[in-house]
Amino acid sequence: MIYPELSSQEAKKRLEKFGFNEIKEKKPNAALKFFRWLISPIALMLLAAALLSLFIGKDFDFYFILTLMLINFFVGFWQEKKADNAIKKLREKLAVQVTVLRDGHWHFIASRLIVPGDVIELNLGDIIPADIKILEGKNLSINEAALTGESLPKDKNVGDGCYSGSFIASGWGRASVEKTGSETYFGHILISMDTSYKRSILEQDILNISKFLSILSFISVLLLTIIFLIQGKPFLELLTLDLSLIIAGIPISLPTIMTLIISFGVLGLAKKKTVVRRLSALEDLANVTMLLSDKTGTLTKNEIGIEKIVSYNNYTENDIVNFSALTTRRHDKNAISQAILQKRKSLKLENDYTVIDFLPFNSNRKRSTTLAENSSGRILISAGAAQIIESFCQIDENTKKKLDQDVRDAAQGGYRTIMVAVKKTDRENDESDMTLAGMLLFSDTLEKGVKSTIEFIKKNGIEVKMLTGDNHAIAERVAHDLGLNGNVVSRASAPGGDYKHLTPEEFRRIGVFSEILPEDKADLVLAAKNSGYIVAVTGDGVNDLPALKTANVGIAVKNAVDTLKSAADLTLFSSGISVIQDAILESRKIFARLYAYSVYRISESFRVIVTITLLGLVYNTYPLTPIQLIILALLNDIPIISLAFNRVRVATKPSAIDAKERIKYSLAFGMVGVVNSFLFFFLAKNIFHLDWEVLQTLFFLKLTISGHMLIYVAHTKERWWKFLPSREVIWATSTTQLVGTAMAYFGLLMNKAPLSWIIFIWIWALAWTQVSELMKFILEKKFAPKSN
């Protein structure tokens, strides 16, 4: 068929006219981002504190607070830009490739480069990259559920239009591109749709901490303000102090911390060739207890090759390769099709047949069929599953015996098989009375190190079950090689003839599910969830969509069709199960860092707020100046940010953040800090009678050093000296402690403190760090699970 193809030059002109085939995101510029940040609660409180300082004549405080505001904005802006760039690079990895006709040849190009007037080829599983009109097709149906809400695929004929964003459910076709980018139907939907942001459970958890600390800060401020006003203290000066305490108590760095910890975790996964598409999937992934894994491309290599050719009825091996090649398409991404084409290429076989009609493979037919002709006439060729092709053939008794033995040998050898049958006919659908030509045996070896990886995953609290469409014998052989425990069960031998009626006990006894149909996968995911598991499932084909949507975490493997990659929670860009192991462990690291951050943040803010409130009530004034409170908040934020890089001990079993456990440890550490601070202040004020200004400096230094020492205790459940934080955290805490020490010693922004007292505070802080460690030890002993 002759198509109205474009030249490269014309395509370039149209690209300049219509733009890239993409829907541009509306991102605010730097000025708008600054304005949005300026009207955020934290920024408004800082600005109010600065203006109040200016109003009561503290010009230096005004400029200092404004400087801190700008530093806070530019640090957040820089981190956000890094995260945006990282996401952009990840999206580039997921760019859809399209087969397009240009200059008389078919090319693979990025979908963003196609233009109206291009002719593209579409195969099973391909995402339609633009609004198109069908020029040619065979057995073509398209799933438009994401756009129109229609759950069933719609058959498409020549002249029919199709929307961007839908995908090929069956068959094959060629089409002309009508509209691209924002002009497509999908583009109009995206432009008009609600883009409000929905927080993940993970983010909501951290924000709940912020709310708790904010409420605590406001209660403390309200209490102190009422008391101090009754005592006749100046309102404006009190208001400045109140705002400063709120700033010190509320985690200013919260957005930056969330961005850093999660984005570095996501980038860590990207380095391991895993792209996260749904943020909340990280939480589910950290808690996965069951992995339902495909065999091919995950447990075994997706490098299928023809290992052996068995011929029947006087056909040669070359004949069988040529016949099977005619039942494939050159641009078909299917691994078996590519192996057949590669074999024909390696044998340098000449093809003198012209394809008249072609009916592609699908999961229901389990075969592909081609009507072709040469100078000798027309032949019909069918290639597919052995039992299907055999049912169409006339086979004598001797050939039947040989065939049965060959199939058994292939199964025992772990081969995948494609049987080929031919027939001289003019009718494309007449597959009766065909002649058996031969059988192709494909090998798919185990991924390197997959057995040890499975063992490792099991030791980390995750069960692995293999899903395969291969027959029982092949599944049993592979399961033995992998060391998978449990029974090997086929669909026919399952209770009720399917997997919908599996009880939790039956499910746990099974290690491998063989001969599964596409619809079985979703049933197995449900069976696993009903058995109490948090389930991750892998997939590569269009028919795996229901299973991936049903699972807690849907994973598209390396060779998955574009549709599945777009719908999956995680997309893998390297073959094998080891990358899934890495993804699970990396997600657990993210949660360990978030847990350490939350324990420290709650305890530190609780200590500062409660201590200042109690001291204010006892001594009728704030024990710190507004500048000291704001500097304390800034110095606390720096080591907190470094927790995004922290060294953590990865959990050996799935476990969600335990809110009760966290509050228990946080408040315990916080109370130790309150007692520590109150006792120090009492000794310095009432026993040693230090000047108030010097005492404020020393108290500021004590809060800085002690608070940062707490990170060493809170970040691990082991003894702190046995599992130190990462170098980044050690450098950050040491730097901020030294900065605080230098400010106290040289009298920067506060009164100068004696060196002897500075040394005493360091010794005091180190001693109370051991008290916090003792408190952790007591809690672990008291609340540890009792053995039976």
Side-chain angles (χ1 to χ4, degrees):
M1 185 173 179
I2 299 175
Y3 304 108
E5 65 186 80
L6 297 180
S7 65
S8 297
Q9 271 191 329
E10 178 61 26
K12 187 177 180 181
K13 288 179 183 177
R14 294 194 185 190
L15 189 62
E16 291 173 357
K17 178 181 178 181
F18 296 104
F20 289 113
N21 180 36
E22 58 188 9
I23 301 163
K24 294 182 179 179
E25 295 180 69
K26 293 182 179 179
K27 293 186 178 180
N29 56 33
L32 185 58
K33 284 185 178 181
F34 179 76
F35 175 75
R36 287 181 179 176
W37 173 83
L38 193 61
I39 60 175
S40 67
I42 293 295
L44 288 174
M45 284 190 287
L46 283 168
L47 185 60
L51 292 173
L52 284 169
S53 298
L54 181 66
F55 189 77
I56 61 177
K58 295 184 177 182
D59 293 358
F60 178 81
D61 290 10
F62 168 74
Y63 290 113
F64 183 75
I65 294 171
L66 282 183
T67 302
L68 290 184
M69 282 181 65
L70 292 174
I71 291 173
N72 185 269
F73 168 73
F74 284 112
V75 168
F77 181 77
W78 176 62
Q79 293 296 343
E80 185 180 346
K81 188 174 182 180
K82 283 178 63 179
D84 285 345
N85 289 336
I87 291 170
K88 184 179 178 182
K89 288 180 180 178
L90 295 181
R91 283 178 175 171
E92 287 173 359
K93 286 189 174 184
L94 289 173
V96 174
Q97 295 289 309
V98 181
T99 305
V100 63
L101 183 63
R102 296 254 180 100
D103 301 316
H105 300 283
W106 291 97
H107 306 274
F108 279 113
I109 66 170
S111 63
R112 70 191 296 266
L113 299 177
I114 63 174
V115 295
D118 265 327
V119 174
I120 60 174
E121 184 170 282
L122 300 166
N123 292 293
L124 179 66
D126 285 349
I127 292 177
I128 296 177
D131 286 358
I132 61 172
K133 182 180 288 186
I134 303 299
L135 298 175
E136 180 185 4
K138 190 68 178 180
N139 195 27
L140 184 62
S141 67
I142 293 178
N143 189 311
E144 298 176 339
L147 301 174
T148 65
E150 296 181 55
S151 58
L152 295 176
K154 294 175 67 175
D155 292 335
K156 294 292 181 178
N157 301 306
V158 174
D160 288 345
C162 305
Y163 296 131
S164 164
S166 50
F167 65 88
I168 306 300
S170 67
W172 161 89
R174 286 173 178 166
S176 63
V177 175
E178 302 296 308
K179 293 180 181 180
T180 59
S182 300
E183 295 302 313
T184 63
Y185 179 70
F186 185 52
H188 288 303
I189 290 175
L190 284 183
I191 290 170
S192 62
M193 71 187 295
D194 177 18
T195 56
S196 56
Y197 176 70
K198 293 183 179 180
R199 294 189 182 96
S200 69
I201 298 173
L202 191 157
E203 290 174 297
Q204 190 62 50
D205 179 73
I206 299 298
L207 289 176
N208 286 339
I209 295 171
S210 181
K211 289 178 183 177
F212 167 75
L213 296 176
S214 299
I215 292 169
L216 187 63
S217 295
F218 282 112
I219 291 173
S220 300
V221 162
L222 184 63
L223 181 64
L224 289 175
T225 301
I226 292 171
I227 292 172
F228 292 160
L229 284 175
I230 293 172
Q231 294 172 354
K233 294 189 181 295
F235 176 73
L236 288 177
E237 187 173 333
L238 271 179
L239 195 56
T240 307
L241 282 163
D242 291 345
L243 284 169
S244 303
L245 178 58
I246 290 171
I247 292 165
I250 297 174
I252 297 173
S253 61
L254 177 64
T256 307
I257 291 298
M258 287 299 302
T259 299
L260 276 174
I261 291 180
I262 295 172
S263 65
F264 277 106
V266 170
L267 287 174
L269 291 176
K271 289 177 182 177
K272 294 174 169 45
K273 298 184 178 180
T274 302
V275 173
V276 179
R277 298 190 66 93
R278 178 173 64 90
L279 182 64
S280 56
L282 290 173
E283 180 174 17
D284 294 327
L285 189 63
N287 299 302
V288 161
T289 55
M290 167 66 68
L291 173 62
L292 298 177
S293 175
D294 276 343
K295 178 179 74 69
T296 306
T298 307
L299 301 178
T300 60
K301 289 184 178 180
N302 192 28
E303 297 175 358
I304 296 175
I306 296 176
E307 195 74 20
K308 188 178 179 182
I309 303 171
V310 180
S311 60
Y312 305 99
N313 297 314
N314 300 318
Y315 285 102
T316 67
E317 293 185 2
N318 287 357
D319 290 335
I320 298 164
V321 172
N322 254 333
F323 289 150
S324 59
L326 288 168
T327 64
T328 68
R329 301 196 68 84
R330 185 164 57 92
H331 301 298
D332 194 341
K333 299 171 187 175
N334 179 278
I336 289 179
S337 296
Q338 289 298 315
I340 292 170
L341 294 173
Q342 184 60 39
K343 185 67 173 180
R344 184 174 70 175
K345 183 178 178 180
S346 66
L347 293 175
K348 299 179 180 179
L349 300 179
E350 295 293 332
N351 175 34
D352 63 344
Y353 281 96
T354 300
V355 174
I356 303 301
D357 198 20
F358 172 71
L359 197 60
F361 178 95
N362 64 42
S363 57
N364 294 320
R365 296 185 75 246
K366 291 187 177 295
R367 67 190 185 281
S368 56
T369 306
T370 295
L371 183 64
E373 70 175 356
N374 64 4
S375 57
S376 301
R378 292 189 174 187
I379 60 170
L380 187 71
I381 309 165
S382 287
Q387 63 271 29
I388 300 295
I389 301 301
E390 183 183 349
S391 66
F392 297 138
C393 296
Q394 286 186 327
I395 305 174
D396 60 51
E397 189 174 341
N398 291 333
T399 304
K400 173 66 175 172
K401 288 180 180 178
K402 183 179 186 305
L403 174 62
D404 291 343
Q405 186 60 49
D406 289 340
V407 171
R408 282 194 296 270
D409 291 344
Q412 291 171 3
Y415 294 110
R416 296 182 68 177
T417 59
I418 291 292
M419 194 169 288
V420 182
V422 297
K423 175 185 180 181
K424 289 187 176 184
T425 182
D426 287 332
R427 291 184 292 176
E428 58 183 85
N429 296 321
D430 183 12
E431 292 179 295
S432 61
D433 299 330
M434 299 187 78
T435 302
L436 183 63
M439 186 166 56
L440 302 173
L441 277 62
F442 299 83
S443 65
D444 189 9
T445 56
L446 296 182
E447 279 284 350
K448 184 178 180 182
V450 65
K451 190 173 180 179
S452 60
T453 301
I454 289 175
E455 286 301 314
F456 183 88
I457 292 177
K458 287 180 180 178
K459 287 178 182 177
N460 278 270
I462 302 168
E463 293 184 35
V464 181
K465 296 185 188 295
M466 184 177 80
L467 312 181
T468 178
D470 290 331
N471 62 44
H472 184 91
I474 295 175
E476 200 167 47
R477 172 68 179 274
V478 175
H480 177 268
D481 292 342
L482 291 171
L484 286 174
N485 299 323
N487 301 327
V488 178
V489 176
S490 64
R491 193 176 199 271
S493 60
D498 57 36
Y499 299 115
K500 294 179 180 178
H501 306 94
L502 281 176
T503 65
E505 187 57 37
E506 288 169 336
F507 185 86
R508 291 187 178 96
R509 285 200 299 265
I510 299 169
V512 178
F513 297 89
S514 65
E515 300 177 18
I516 66 168
L517 298 175
E519 58 268 26
D520 293 333
K521 210 167 191 179
D523 291 339
L524 287 169
V525 171
L526 279 174
K529 292 174 80 172
N530 292 336
S531 299
Y533 292 101
I534 297 174
V535 185
V537 63
T538 67
D540 60 0
V542 175
N543 291 308
D544 292 330
L545 270 172
L548 265 67
K549 290 292 185 183
T550 306
N552 300 95
V553 181
I555 303 172
V557 297
K558 180 182 178 183
N559 62 321
V561 295
D562 294 332
T563 306
L564 208 68
K565 288 180 179 178
S566 298
D569 299 317
L570 276 77
T571 301
L572 310 182
F573 285 92
S574 65
S575 55
I577 200 175
S578 62
V579 69
I580 299 176
Q581 168 196 321
D582 292 337
I584 291 168
L585 296 183
E586 195 67 37
S587 66
R588 291 184 185 178
K589 284 182 184 179
I590 292 172
F591 265 74
R593 291 186 180 115
L594 285 170
Y595 182 85
Y597 160 65
S598 58
V599 169
Y600 170 75
R601 182 69 267 183
I602 295 172
S603 57
E604 180 63 8
S605 293
F606 180 84
R607 176 189 65 138
V608 170
I609 295 166
V610 174
T611 299
I612 290 176
T613 303
L614 291 176
L615 290 174
L617 294 173
V618 172
Y619 293 100
N620 297 318
T621 187
Y622 272 103
L624 293 175
T625 66
I627 287 294
Q628 286 173 332
L629 280 166
I630 292 172
I631 293 173
L632 180 66
L634 178 66
L635 292 179
N636 280 342
D637 283 346
I638 293 172
I640 286 177
I641 288 174
S642 71
L643 289 175
F645 309 91
N646 194 23
R647 174 180 174 231
V648 290
R649 188 79 77 190
V650 180
T652 56
K653 62 180 181 179
S655 58
I657 288 179
D658 188 331
K660 290 183 180 179
E661 180 188 74
R662 178 179 58 199
I663 202 70
K664 173 182 69 181
Y665 278 96
S666 299
L667 295 184
F669 291 147
M671 287 308 301
V672 170
V674 170
V675 174
N676 163 11
S677 300
F678 204 89
L679 182 59
F680 171 81
F681 203 93
F682 176 81
L683 290 173
K685 174 66 177 173
N686 296 77
I687 304 299
F688 293 98
H689 305 290
L690 294 178
D691 291 338
W692 183 255
E693 289 78 10
V694 173
L695 177 54
Q696 283 182 314
T697 299
L698 292 174
F699 189 59
F700 160 79
L701 181 60
K702 191 215 75 67
L703 289 176
T704 300
I705 296 173
S706 294
H708 299 176
M709 288 288 189
L710 180 60
I711 290 177
Y712 289 74
V713 178
H715 96 109
T716 178
K717 291 188 177 180
E718 300 180 44
R719 307 286 72 83
W720 72 264
W721 58 85
K722 290 183 178 180
F723 192 77
L724 294 173
S726 64
R727 285 180 296 179
E728 291 86 353
V729 176
I730 293 173
W731 273 105
T733 53
S734 301
T735 300
T736 50
Q737 287 171 326
L738 290 173
V739 167
T741 301
M743 294 179 75
Y745 179 73
F746 293 107
L748 302 174
L749 305 176
M750 59 193 73
N751 282 276
K752 185 176 180 180
L755 179 61
S756 58
W757 271 97
I758 291 174
I759 294 172
F760 173 76
I761 285 172
W762 272 91
I763 296 171
W764 177 276
L766 284 168
W768 278 90
T769 298
Q770 312 319 311
V771 177
S772 295
E773 181 65 31
L774 178 62
M775 177 62 73
K776 183 174 73 176
F777 177 77
I778 292 170
L779 288 173
E780 287 171 357
K781 290 294 183 183
K782 183 176 180 179
F783 296 102
K786 293 180 175 60
S787 57
N788 295 327

